[in-house]
């Protein structure tokens, strides 16, 4: 247990003991190597299970809609941005939250480690991060990588190493971002002709099995009834044809435009490895370019595309 | 028993390809059984198990059931898929899973779509050599390197693969195959040793006896189920990738003068599950989580005297939140009174 973990555990315990929150949402060790699991508890004794490590991947703000009452929530910067966005959309009330903010230096993407080492995660003995270096041990042999080779693309693109909103902060910010590397996949897509891009996405979305994990882990997908489940009339077919899969995802991405904080969860959880962040990040860039808007940075900011000024030039809106 | 050099496997698969649609593990974006390309057998070096289970070959993610065409009256044309599939590299857990789905789809009514594919299909098993950390097949009486649920079984013995016929269909397949040599007693001894080593590598365990005693008494413990369900995000990964889950939804599509009925995978974790015939009786998440566990470990065994889980571990490894069924099954709070 690190000092920072100890401080987090003590604070979580104190909040529960003093009745300042009814629930704590954080991360506990997972049941497999290099995993963590959401810890959602009312029990002060569970606070000692809280961990902070390079594998705290889940965006826990997705649970805020589910759980009633005062909540103490552990939040990395991108998760804190999702919380801010939920505050803006009045999905949660600030006074019901105690945000236990964690500065972040990027999380380790196991798929990248597997690709670089040629080993399955089950065969890797240890992954340790030390500053800008990550050491991977497999069968007694060690390999060293630059952190930016093995952290998630969305972490490479991170603009907020410190959460934009928090009540308590645990740890020091540091980051190994590389904006260019973070949009490598997007750059490749931009270089394609429309036909090539169409073929690319056709192939990718042919694998989609419609498990909806992308939607279920997305804090911005807070609709209680999703358009994909509308049956009267049916907007889109629930059958997993690539065309409908693609339409489902592009519609979802447009719905969360201006709310997506590039936490990368949709891409991480996709069991068939569809590079969904290549869409969400691009949408985020377009939103920023056209509207100078970044989601979840300021809880008092006007929400994206919800206000209209008569002076705006868009004919469609007049 | 027979054997073949690993480097000659492509020749054998090519022979089979003359008569069958051969499927084998591939990794084009995701590891699944795909139509074999006629040459690649490098999966022998990296293949642990598929992410998408081979149930996809028999109960596909979507399929057309029938067309209705308007002519003088209405004409119904039932879809018949008579493809002769040969799936190479099926793991013992997934082969057992198909045997479990068979039981359900033969009971009460005969699901001709699924059963036709099974009748026309051949399963060629491949024993595991490196089970995943999430695997717990041995607790469900499945040997990771042996199977009676396939037609032919292959086992890795180094440079070669040992081949055993299991069913009559498998016997016929091998009798019509050339390029196989006879296995020696030494080969069989080598295979036996390898199988035993693999068996020991499966370290994740559950106690099915204990589960049987605890699951029903724990059913009404709402607090327990609410607790274990809290972190579930209600996606379809665990059920869609489960080799034994067989729920499906029905969808009709129509255009002028014609219509068609399809079915696609459905999932009891979804809030909209069974909305088509009526309402979802399990509106709250904890009831859905409880249902998933109980269907596999309580209700299915009540009807068919077998647990509807083969310990393949996909639901653990692929879960976005590391919701681990083996942990849930080992913390059931209540026990039947003696």
């Amino acid at each position: 247990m690190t000092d920072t973990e100890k401080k987090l555990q003590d604070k979580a315990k104190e909040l529960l003991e003093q009745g300042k929150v009814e629930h704590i949402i954080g991360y506990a060790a997972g049941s497999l190597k290099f995993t963590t699991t959401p810890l959602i508890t009312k029990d002060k004794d569970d606070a000692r299970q809280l961990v902070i490590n390079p594998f705290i991947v889940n965006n826990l703000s997705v649970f805020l809609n589910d759980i009633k009452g005062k909540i103490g929530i552990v939040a990395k910067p991108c998760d804190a941005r999702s919380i801010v966005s939920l505050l803006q959309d009045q999905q949660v009330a600030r006074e019901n939250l105690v945000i236990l903010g964690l500065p972040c230096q990027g999380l380790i993407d196991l798929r990248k480690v597997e690709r670089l080492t040629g080993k399955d995660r089950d065969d890797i003995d240890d992954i340790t991060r030390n500053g800008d270096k990550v050491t991977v041990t497999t069968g007694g042999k060690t390999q060293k990588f630059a952190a930016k080779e093995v952290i998630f693309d969305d972490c490479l693109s991170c603009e907020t190493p410190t959460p934009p909103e928090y009540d308590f902060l645990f740890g020091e910010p540091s980051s190994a971002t590389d904006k260019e590397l973070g949009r490598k996949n997007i750059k490749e897509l931009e270089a394609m002709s429309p036909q090539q891009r169409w073929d690319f996405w056709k192939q990718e979305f042919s694998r989609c099995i419609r498990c909806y994990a992308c939607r279920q882990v997305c804090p911005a997908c807070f609709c209680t009834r999703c358009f994909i489940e509308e049956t009267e009339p049916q907007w889109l077919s629930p059958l997993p044809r690539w065309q409908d899969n693609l339409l489902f995802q592009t519609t979802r991405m447009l719905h969360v435009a201006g709310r997506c904080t590039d936490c990368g969860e949709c891409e991480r959880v996709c069991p068939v490895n569809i590079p969904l962040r290549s869409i969400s990040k691009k949408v985020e860039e377009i939103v920023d370019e056209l509207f100078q808007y970044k989601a979840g940075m300021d809880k008092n900011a006007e929400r994206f595309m919800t206000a209209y000024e008569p002076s705006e030039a868009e004919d469609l809106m007049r | 028993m027979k054997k073949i050099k690993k480097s000659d496997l492509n020749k054998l698969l090519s022979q089979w390809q003359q008569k069958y649609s051969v499927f084998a593990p591939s990794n084009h974006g995701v590891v699944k059984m795909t139509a074999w390309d006629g040459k690649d057998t490098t999966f022998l070096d990296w293949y642990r198990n598929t992410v998408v289970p081979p149930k996809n070959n028999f109960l596909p993610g979507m399929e057309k059931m029938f067309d209705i065409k308007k002519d003088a009256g209405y004409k119904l044309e039932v879809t018949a898929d008579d493809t002769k599939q040969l799936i190479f590299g099926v793991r013992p857990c997934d082969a057992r899973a198909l045997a479990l789905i068979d039981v359900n789809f033969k009971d009460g009514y005969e699901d001709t779509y699924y059963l036709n594919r099974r009748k026309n299909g051949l399963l060629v098993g491949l024993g595991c050599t490196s089970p995943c950390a999430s695997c717990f097949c041995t607790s469900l009486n499945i040997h990771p390197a042996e199977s009676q649920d396939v037609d032919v079984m292959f086992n890795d013995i180094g440079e070669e693969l040992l081949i055993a016929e299991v069913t009559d269909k498998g016997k016929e397949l091998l009798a019509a195959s050339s390029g196989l040599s006879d296995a020696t007693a030494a080969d069989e001894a080598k295979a036996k040793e390898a199988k035993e080593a693999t068996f020991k590598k499966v370290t994740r365990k559950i106690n099915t006896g204990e589960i049987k005693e605890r699951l029903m008494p724990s059913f009404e413990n709402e607090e327990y189920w609410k607790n274990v369900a809290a972190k579930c995000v209600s996606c379809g990964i665990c059920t869609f990738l489960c080799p034994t889950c067989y729920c499906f939804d029905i969808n009709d599509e129509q255009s002028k003068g014609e219509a068609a009925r399809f079915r696609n995978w459905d999932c009891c974790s979804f809030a909209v599950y069974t909305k088509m015939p009526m309402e979802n009786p399990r509106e709250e998440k904890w009831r859905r989580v409880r249902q998933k566990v109980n269907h596999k470990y309580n209700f299915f065994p009540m009807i068919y005297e077998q647990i509807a889980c083969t310990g393949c571990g996909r639901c653990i490894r692929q879960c976005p939140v590391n919701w681990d069924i083996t942990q849930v099954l080992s913390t059931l709070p209540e026990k039947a009174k003696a």
Side-chain angles (χ1 to χ4, degrees):
Chain A
M1 192 191 0
T2 63
D3 286 350
T4 317
E5 275 176 327
K6 175 83 171 59
K7 280 179 197 154
L8 174 67
Q9 293 174 0
D10 289 347
K11 179 54 76 181
K13 191 178 175 195
E14 179 194 309
L15 290 169
L16 284 169
E17 261 171 358
Q18 296 179 351
K20 294 208 171 118
V21 300
E22 288 161 63
H23 308 265
I24 285 287
I25 309 179
Y27 304 94
S31 72
L32 297 170
K33 273 187 284 187
F34 320 124
T35 64
T36 59
T37 190
L39 175 73
I40 301 170
T41 187
K42 286 177 166 184
D43 184 349
K44 64 179 168 48
D45 292 331
D46 286 345
R48 74 175 99 100
Q49 293 179 39
L50 290 169
V51 297
I52 306 171
N53 62 41
F55 306 105
I56 49 171
V57 286
N58 298 98
N59 184 338
L60 300 176
S61 67
V62 76
F63 296 108
L64 290 177
N65 278 321
D66 241 19
I67 299 164
K68 304 290 163 246
K70 293 207 177 215
I71 299 167
I73 182 168
V74 177
K76 307 186 296 289
C78 47
D79 316 340
R81 284 179 62 186
S82 296
I83 294 173
V84 169
S85 191
L86 290 169
L87 289 169
Q88 287 174 283
D89 280 324
Q90 298 176 40
Q91 294 300 304
V92 284
R94 186 67 183 89
E95 62 271 22
N96 284 341
L97 297 179
V98 176
I99 303 173
L100 307 167
L102 303 181
C104 185
Q105 46 179 347
L107 304 176
I108 291 174
D109 182 347
L110 284 178
R111 284 173 181 145
K112 284 189 185 175
V113 176
E114 288 180 324
R115 229 175 290 138
L116 283 166
T117 57
K119 299 279 179 194
D120 184 276
R121 59 196 66 183
D122 284 348
D123 296 329
I124 298 170
D125 299 319
D126 190 38
I127 304 175
T128 321
R129 176 155 185 188
N130 201 341
D132 284 344
K133 286 271 173 281
V134 172
T135 310
V136 180
T137 313
T138 314
K141 288 191 196 126
T142 60
Q143 279 175 285
K144 279 199 193 318
F145 299 100
K148 65 181 186 182
E149 288 179 277
V150 293
I151 65 174
F152 284 97
D153 283 357
D154 51 286
C155 299
L156 288 168
S157 299
C158 181
E159 295 183 36
T160 50
T162 302
E165 179 83 17
Y166 60 84
D167 296 294
F168 302 96
L169 195 66
F170 301 86
E172 296 299 320
S174 74
S175 94
T177 58
D178 185 331
K179 304 258 155 36
E180 276 305 296
L181 198 58
R183 68 188 307 285
K184 186 172 157 271
N185 291 345
I186 297 153
K187 225 167 137 181
E188 282 170 16
L189 282 161
E190 285 170 343
M192 289 181 191
S193 69
Q195 185 60 47
Q196 284 171 322
R197 258 202 305 273
W198 185 246
D199 293 343
F200 173 85
W201 287 116
K202 175 180 174 180
Q203 201 185 2
E204 294 299 313
F205 280 106
S206 300
R207 294 199 301 275
C208 173
I209 56 171
R210 293 289 189 99
C211 67
Y212 301 115
C214 49
R215 179 190 68 187
Q216 295 305 105
V217 297
C218 180
C221 267
F222 54 72
C223 290
T224 49
R225 195 166 172 187
C226 180
F227 75 99
I228 193 69
E229 279 140 10
E230 279 296 328
T231 50
E232 293 172 21
Q234 189 172 62
W235 290 31
L236 262 183
S237 172
L239 299 170
R241 291 192 187 90
W242 74 266
Q243 297 94 328
D244 289 301
N245 301 342
L246 175 89
L247 263 174
F248 159 66
Q249 198 56 246
T250 44
T251 311
R252 194 185 79 82
M253 290 293 183
L254 287 173
H255 274 186
V256 302
R259 292 183 172 86
C260 169
T261 63
D262 198 21
C263 72
E265 275 292 89
C266 50
E267 177 163 312
R268 181 189 68 85
V269 302
C270 179
V272 295
N273 306 314
I274 301 172
L276 296 174
R277 183 192 171 253
S278 296
I279 307 174
S280 60
K281 175 67 180 165
K282 183 71 187 174
V283 172
E284 193 198 330
E285 287 177 0
I286 293 169
V287 167
D288 192 20
E289 187 190 320
L290 295 181
F291 300 92
Q292 295 78 51
Y293 187 86
K294 284 190 207 300
M297 299 300 245
D298 174 4
K299 63 177 186 287
N300 299 314
E302 192 73 64
R303 288 178 298 162
F304 175 66
M305 298 255 280
T306 51
Y308 169 66
E309 294 292 331
S311 60
E312 282 177 34
E314 187 58 72
D315 284 341
L316 184 73
M317 299 293 287
R318 277 180 210 270
Chain B
M1 275 195 227
K2 299 284 181 187
K3 65 174 177 176
I4 190 169
K5 278 196 191 128
K6 280 182 181 171
S7 54
D8 286 339
L9 178 64
N10 60 343
K11 289 179 195 154
L12 184 63
L13 294 182
S14 296
Q15 278 179 46
W16 291 346
Q17 214 169 22
Q18 309 294 315
K19 263 188 84 178
Y20 299 94
S21 294
V22 174
F23 286 77
S26 82
N27 186 5
H28 299 294
V30 65
V31 183
K32 65 193 262 194
M33 294 296 181
T34 30
W36 186 58
D37 67 358
K39 48 184 189 289
D40 186 14
T41 55
T42 53
F43 59 82
L44 288 174
D45 300 328
W46 56 260
Y47 168 57
R48 287 186 114 118
N49 202 359
T50 55
V51 170
V52 181
K55 89 170 171 191
N56 188 42
N57 292 69
F58 300 95
L59 180 67
M62 70 169 276
E63 67 182 310
K64 191 192 269 186
M65 302 174 83
F66 53 77
D67 286 295
I68 303 171
K69 296 213 165 99
K70 193 176 176 185
D71 206 354
Y74 288 97
K75 212 172 100 206
L76 195 140
E77 291 170 7
V78 177
T79 314
D81 178 0
D82 292 324
T83 314
K84 292 194 183 316
Q85 297 186 95
L86 183 154
I87 325 281
F88 182 85
V90 179
R91 296 304 191 191
C93 54
D94 292 339
R96 175 70 57 81
L98 288 168
L100 287 164
I101 298 182
D102 290 352
V103 173
N104 175 69
F105 278 157
K106 277 179 192 161
D107 185 46
Y109 81 104
E110 298 223 330
D111 189 289
T112 51
Y113 302 97
Y114 172 85
L115 293 173
N116 254 344
R117 289 199 187 90
R118 284 286 278 149
K119 191 183 78 201
N120 290 320
L122 270 167
L123 298 183
V124 181
L126 179 61
C128 286
T129 52
S130 45
C132 295
S134 41
C135 294
F136 57 106
C137 57
T138 54
S139 299
L140 281 312
N141 295 323
I142 294 167
H143 194 299
E146 288 175 4
S147 178
Q148 294 300 310
D149 303 305
V150 294
D151 297 298
V152 177
M153 188 69 191
F154 278 54
N155 280 96
D156 192 324
I157 50 168
E159 296 295 302
E160 294 161 312
L161 296 162
L162 191 74
I163 309 170
E165 57 191 43
V166 180
T167 63
D168 289 343
K169 262 160 95 180
K171 199 171 175 176
E172 278 169 40
L173 176 78
L174 292 183
S177 307
S178 61
L180 308 178
S181 44
D182 290 322
T184 63
D187 293 328
E188 290 186 35
K190 217 185 212 176
K192 188 167 176 274
E193 201 180 313
K195 285 179 195 174
E196 280 166 13
T198 303
F199 190 89
K200 286 185 195 140
K201 286 186 198 167
V202 180
T203 51
R204 187 171 290 268
K205 304 278 179 204
I206 54 166
N207 182 336
T208 52
E210 188 83 354
I211 291 163
K212 195 178 173 190
E213 277 183 47
R214 289 180 176 272
L215 202 43
M216 201 68 225
S218 301
F219 190 83
E220 299 291 350
N221 191 324
E222 198 174 313
E223 198 192 335
Y224 174 74
W225 292 108
K226 278 184 172 164
N227 270 333
V228 297
K231 65 184 177 185
C232 171
V233 292
S234 301
C235 76
I237 290 182
C238 56
T239 58
F240 283 7
L241 300 185
C242 174
T244 73
C245 273
Y246 49 71
C247 283
F248 56 83
D249 186 20
I250 301 277
N251 279 283
D252 291 351
E253 288 186 350
Q254 60 173 30
S255 53
K256 208 172 179 198
E258 57 183 25
R261 174 160 294 177
F262 295 85
R263 69 174 174 184
N264 54 307
W265 291 342
D266 203 352
C267 162
C268 61
S269 307
F270 291 162
V272 294
Y273 181 70
T274 61
K275 280 255 176 165
M276 194 275 293
M278 49 169 296
E279 283 298 305
N280 189 346
R282 295 177 285 269
E283 201 179 314
E284 297 149 286
K285 183 169 74 176
W286 66 271
R287 292 180 191 274
R288 301 198 294 271
V289 168
R290 179 177 71 176
Q291 165 65 19
K292 194 189 79 171
V293 176
N294 274 274
H295 183 247
K296 295 191 177 305
Y297 281 86
N298 191 0
F299 307 148
F300 193 95
M302 268 185 207
I303 309 167
Y304 301 121
E305 293 171 346
Q306 299 176 77
I307 290 170
C309 169
T310 63
C312 77
R314 287 180 178 89
C315 59
I316 305 171
R317 178 159 166 151
Q318 304 296 334
C319 177
V321 297
N322 183 241
W323 193 92
D324 186 335
I325 193 164
T326 62
Q327 287 181 332
V328 174
L329 291 170
S330 59
T331 53
L332 294 166
E334 317 283 341
K335 195 166 180 166
K337 290 184 185 73

